[in-house]
Amino acid sequence: MTQRLFLPLVVAATVVFAVAPLLIAWAPYESTMGLVQKIFYFHMPSWAAMFVSALVCGVASAFFLFKGHATGDRIAAAAAELAVVFGLIGLVTGPLWARKAWGVWWQWDARLTMALVLWMIFISYLLLREYGGPGSEKLAAGVALFGMANVPFVYWSVNVWRTVHPTTNVVPTLVPGMRIALWWSLAGFLLLYTTTMMARVRLESQRASLDRLYRDLDD
Amino acid sequence: MVLRGRMLCVLLTLWIGVAGTVETGTVSLSVQPQQQEEFVPVEELEPEDQLPAAPLLVAAYAFAWLAIFVYLWSIWRRLAHVERELGDLARRMAKR
């Protein structure tokens, strides 16, 4: 089923990303920030993909921890890596936008600091799996639960605390030209996330098959 | 006594009126944009004001694409390596 869906999803993601630059270029300029605001059309979707990945990682880790599903562990490992990749895109594109919009690369306010901490939680997940030794999968799954729990705090931090970052209310107020470009880019990122996730989970499954074969060979 | 009281009332009214006018004037002046007395070349602006947006925008999109392609390439490379090893191992097991 997933293998049958993979190719159409790759084609759909390619088409969406091919059209996205045209919509982004066509989107109106923001009155105070001008051209640099167009970073938003990749910055926000990359964080959305990161949040989805963090949630998938947390839920899959819960299945692994409490039900003992090995598939849950494989999905969680794949999702954690994707959370780091999409989080990195968000963390790099954000300061490039901020430098022009706020006059600084970085501000240690609630939103930016919490987003960095969320990203570091998933870095620690991957480090724990890589260097934690036997049984580290379960420790990493515990870390993933904390990562998942952090997501709503990061999302609502702009509405609860005073930060320089725009609030979540910005998105519903976008004019049609900006809104189409944003939702289109978001669709592209979520398609890319889905296809990459499928490939990454396949890698984990193949690794598990390899381990099984080595064990059979030893027996 | 009554005259002094009326004078005081008039003075107070006048003072409030003048103060109000001055206050309103100040507010309306502060709302108006400052009159330009000189033209400032763009090179003399604060660094954050003269920073061009295009290189930042290009850097952001270039980094996003680079990160995506490097990651896709790393998945493809790791998957190819594991599948090759899996094939070799399956053949070895079949020979036994």
Side-chain angles (χ1 to χ4, degrees):
Chain A
M1 175 70 180
T2 51
Q3 279 187 337
R4 247 190 347 191
L5 271 176
F6 185 73
L7 198 62
L9 283 173
V10 168
V11 172
T14 310
V15 170
V16 170
F17 274 113
V19 175
L22 300 173
L23 290 174
I24 292 167
W26 175 69
Y29 282 69
E30 202 275 331
S31 62
T32 53
M33 290 179 277
L35 180 67
V36 82
Q37 182 269 340
K38 286 178 186 272
I39 291 176
F40 172 65
Y41 303 109
F42 260 39
H43 175 73
M44 183 271 190
S46 66
W47 275 114
M50 198 278 187
F51 287 170
V52 168
S53 209
L55 294 172
V56 169
C57 183
V59 171
S61 294
F63 268 98
F64 173 60
L65 266 184
F66 305 120
K67 303 272 183 189
H69 291 175
T71 313
D73 183 47
R74 290 202 282 272
I75 292 172
E81 206 174 272
L82 281 164
V84 168
V85 172
F86 284 106
L88 180 68
I89 294 171
L91 281 172
V92 171
T93 54
L96 287 166
W97 180 7
R99 180 67 184 89
K100 178 72 180 167
W102 305 336
V104 288
W105 295 103
W106 186 263
Q107 192 77 36
W108 290 103
D109 71 6
R111 175 53 168 265
L112 274 64
T113 309
M114 287 176 83
L116 179 65
V117 168
L118 177 65
W119 185 71
M120 289 197 300
I121 288 174
F122 287 96
I123 291 272
S124 61
Y125 175 97
L126 295 177
L127 289 175
L128 202 50
R129 283 188 75 99
E130 188 69 29
Y131 303 108
S136 61
E137 297 89 0
K138 290 202 167 175
L139 287 173
V143 171
L145 290 181
F146 282 99
M148 179 178 69
N150 205 17
V151 169
F153 289 98
V154 178
Y155 180 76
W156 276 297
S157 58
V158 279
N159 302 331
V160 176
W161 290 287
R162 186 188 289 257
T163 84
V164 285
H165 194 281
T167 65
T168 54
N169 299 328
V170 164
V171 175
T173 62
L174 289 175
V175 295
M178 289 178 169
R179 199 184 308 145
I180 291 167
L182 176 68
W183 292 122
W184 191 268
S185 287
L186 184 64
F189 266 82
L190 293 179
L191 279 170
L192 176 70
Y193 172 75
T194 310
T195 50
T196 316
M197 186 70 185
M198 286 160 87
R200 187 61 186 77
V201 170
R202 183 174 162 79
L203 174 62
E204 283 301 313
S205 304
Q206 297 291 66
R207 277 178 176 166
S209 304
L210 193 64
D211 287 345
R212 238 186 345 261
L213 275 179
Y214 272 121
R215 272 198 303 273
D216 291 348
L217 204 64
D218 287 344
D219 294 342
Chain B
M1 188 71 180
V2 175
L3 193 67
R4 196 181 286 176
R6 278 184 185 166
M7 282 283 284
L8 196 66
C9 277
V10 170
L11 280 173
L12 202 63
T13 311
L14 275 173
W15 184 81
I16 290 168
V18 170
T21 313
V22 170
E23 186 59 33
T24 316
T26 314
V27 169
S28 62
L29 273 177
S30 67
V31 169
Q32 284 178 345
Q34 288 222 327
Q35 197 172 23
Q36 201 167 0
E37 290 177 353
E38 58 173 347
F39 288 133
V40 180
V42 73
E43 294 83 23
E44 290 176 23
L45 278 174
E46 292 293 316
E48 62 267 22
D49 290 335
Q50 59 171 294
L51 197 68
L56 296 169
L57 184 77
V58 170
Y61 278 87
F63 179 82
W65 279 118
L66 187 71
I68 289 166
F69 279 116
V70 167
Y71 185 62
L72 290 178
W73 176 78
S74 92
I75 290 180
W76 172 76
R77 203 173 57 93
R78 284 182 286 172
L79 200 54
H81 177 78
V82 170
E83 283 181 347
R84 197 169 47 242
E85 204 174 332
L86 208 54
D88 290 345
L89 203 60
R91 271 192 297 277
R92 269 169 57 194
M93 285 184 84
K95 280 181 189 172
R96 286 175 72 187

